[in-house]
Amino acid sequence: MHRPADEPVRPQQGDAGGPPPGGASLDPEQLDPAVLAALLARHGWRRRGGAAGRYSRWTPPGPGTGTSLLVPEHRAFPDSADLLAEALTALSRSPAPSARDVLVGLSVPSDEIRWWRQGPEGGGGAAPWPAHERLRAGARAMLLAGALAARGRAGYHGARHRAQAEAALEPVLVGAGPGDGRRLTAFVPAGGGRATVTTLLRALQAARDAADYQRATGGMEAFDAAVGMGMCHELAESIVALVRGSEGLRVTLDWSPAAGVPEGFARRPEPVEFSPGDLPALREAGARYARDEPSVPVRVTGAVVRMRRSAPSGPGTVRLRVLAGADVAQVRVVLDEDAYRIAGQAHLIGLPVRVSGRLESRSGFRRLTGASGVVPVPADEAERDRLMKSLQENLGFFEEACGGDD
């Protein structure tokens, strides 16, 4: 998670920068003055009077006055749209980092998650580059854990639902904190990402409670119960990564003022904090989740994308692109000689295969063991065309993999 605030979250991203987003594209006729005022207050802008009942005057945080905005109290006055248009223009031109964050919140109604890694100040208040990168990577891993848990509770997700969870994070925007490299903000669109945010908040609160229980009693039972709230191996690992090398981690959440507060949640959720003293319990919990998550019986339909065996005959390993039957993108499966030949022949005629077995948690649910019942299955025309194209591009490879002339 390393995109600037005007670009979507991707697995690999660059530093924040570029012009502030949204100022020119926002329609002042559609803008709610109350939402603008709420975002200004959230991001540290100071209200400095104004005409009572008509408009308020706001100045940015920090020394000096800088940009001054006039925000109407409501849209009942004829000049409200003009004032809002002027405010948007001033925000888009303001050098204040908070102005950019306000524009992001206006452009895409978003819940805002903030991370703060506490630690001693470096030279000039700057954090070392590796610590800055650790913050970004850890924050993204934490969001991904929330997206995974929103799709199903499990102590260890592995590769299950990962593609869908990563796709859910694509609209998320990222804004750097106030220049010290220890703060980061994620803007999660409330329209499609609220399930991730609410699940993550409950999971973090459950992790905090479980860590307190373990430190008080020495027992891990609370971590087992926390799985039902979204806690998992992936979340434990992300917390450990963010806390390690710091004096503590603080995670805060603000709901989108445009979307409102979701049912069952506090208007201003309490920050969730973790310290280095929590690391032993979190590490043990993460290992426990990965160790105890059971393998899953499945019946997978998949397209053969790779075949390998050490001799022209005998068993071999096949990699399948999963089409149905499991919430993973690909699996590896060891087949006996007859099943391996069936898989190769199915691919040669452009058909997927169906196979039963168990998805092994120890490999991250990427390996199928105890394979049986390998049979070719019909495919729709589009899928068959894809398989035939793959075969034509890799014909030599498959001839070798299937045993050549044997």
Side-chain angles (χ1 to χ4, degrees):
M1 190 180 66
H2 310 302
R3 282 278 177 188
D6 53 346
E7 299 181 37
V9 170
R10 305 287 182 187
Q12 297 179 347
Q13 301 163 357
D15 293 332
S25 61
L26 286 166
D27 183 2
E29 295 287 350
Q30 302 298 320
L31 185 60
D32 185 345
V35 171
L36 174 56
L39 288 170
L40 289 170
R42 173 182 299 176
H43 291 283
W45 286 62
R46 297 182 295 273
R47 182 168 180 164
R48 298 187 178 276
R54 290 184 60 87
Y55 63 84
S56 54
R57 183 178 296 276
W58 297 80
T59 57
T65 56
T67 305
S68 176
L69 307 181
L70 290 180
V71 179
E73 294 290 334
H74 45 76
R75 302 192 60 90
F77 298 103
D79 62 346
S80 61
D82 293 336
L83 289 176
L84 289 170
E86 292 171 4
L88 292 175
T89 300
L91 283 170
S92 67
R93 295 174 179 173
S94 173
S98 57
R100 180 189 190 87
D101 292 342
V102 171
L103 286 173
V104 171
L106 292 172
S107 300
V108 182
S110 304
D111 299 322
E112 299 179 23
I113 304 176
R114 294 179 180 82
W115 293 265
W116 177 32
R117 295 184 76 239
Q118 304 169 40
E121 295 294 335
W129 180 253
H132 189 66
E133 287 298 292
R134 186 180 299 126
L135 172 60
R136 291 176 173 271
R140 185 182 193 280
M142 184 175 286
L143 276 178
L144 182 61
L148 287 167
R151 280 153 183 77
R153 303 295 194 260
Y156 177 43
H157 296 279
R160 294 178 295 176
H161 300 291
R162 186 164 292 266
Q164 299 95 315
E166 290 179 341
L169 296 186
E170 288 187 358
V172 176
L173 307 176
V174 180
D180 62 1
R182 294 185 180 87
R183 295 172 175 84
L184 192 70
T185 303
F187 300 85
V188 185
R194 181 147 277 185
T196 294
V197 175
T198 55
T199 302
L200 179 58
L201 177 59
R202 284 197 172 111
L204 286 171
Q205 292 168 340
R208 176 66 270 161
D209 292 342
D212 289 339
Y213 180 87
Q214 193 279 336
R215 294 179 76 172
T217 68
M220 296 294 291
E221 308 89 79
F223 278 107
D224 297 335
V227 172
M229 304 298 290
M231 181 60 178
C232 58
H233 167 84
E234 288 79 5
L235 182 57
E237 291 289 293
S238 72
I239 299 171
V240 169
L242 286 165
V243 174
R244 187 176 59 241
S246 75
E247 294 179 357
L249 172 70
R250 180 183 177 95
V251 184
T252 61
L253 170 64
D254 287 304
W255 305 113
S256 164
V261 179
E263 185 177 356
F265 288 86
R267 181 170 296 277
R268 298 179 69 100
E270 291 291 325
V272 184
E273 299 183 351
F274 298 93
S275 70
D278 298 317
L279 292 181
L282 289 166
R283 289 192 178 105
E284 183 178 350
R288 182 187 180 98
Y289 291 144
R291 182 180 64 247
D292 294 348
E293 186 69 19
S295 58
V296 182
V298 293
R299 192 180 186 197
V300 171
T301 300
V304 176
V305 295
R306 188 172 181 83
M307 305 182 70
R308 181 184 297 276
R309 62 182 175 182
S310 57
S313 60
T317 300
V318 173
R319 184 182 299 169
L320 302 178
R321 175 168 55 85
V322 176
L323 304 176
D327 298 312
V328 295
Q330 293 189 351
V331 295
R332 288 184 300 126
V333 52
V334 177
L335 302 176
D336 62 28
E337 182 173 3
D338 290 341
Y340 186 86
R341 189 176 296 278
I342 290 171
Q345 291 172 343
H347 185 84
L348 289 172
I349 59 176
L351 291 177
V353 296
R354 182 178 295 133
V355 55
S356 298
R358 298 188 70 87
L359 274 179
E360 284 291 330
S361 61
R362 291 185 179 181
S363 61
F365 298 99
R366 296 179 178 89
R367 182 174 62 196
L368 194 69
T369 61
S372 63
V374 179
V375 294
V377 295
D380 60 45
E381 186 175 347
E383 181 60 33
R384 186 160 183 163
D385 287 345
R386 275 196 299 270
L387 293 174
M388 293 304 296
K389 182 178 180 181
S390 173
L391 171 63
Q392 293 166 4
E393 293 173 349
N394 300 279
L395 184 59
F397 166 74
F398 275 99
E399 287 177 348
E400 178 183 355
C402 293
D405 297 332
D406 180 61

